[in-house]
Amino acid sequence: MDSNVLLDIIGAHAAVAGMTLLTRNVARLQTSFPTVQLIAP
């Protein structure tokens, strides 16, 4: 599975469930899922 597809699945799940994500790819997730709260190291 392509890593971008996996990131989309995880991001969509977090958006629907109202979860916070820990990520190093903040720019991509903020653009695709603006409602998801992100934690970046």
Side-chain angles (χ1 to χ4, degrees):
M1 183 177 286
D2 184 22
S3 63
N4 288 331
V5 173
L6 184 58
L7 186 59
D8 287 342
I9 292 169
I10 293 169
H13 180 78
V16 170
M19 301 172 79
T20 302
L21 288 179
L22 174 64
T23 183
R24 291 184 181 186
N25 199 348
V26 174
R28 167 102 165 47
L29 283 169
Q30 280 180 338
T31 301
S32 298
F33 305 100
T35 60
V36 176
Q37 285 190 318
L38 302 174
I39 300 172

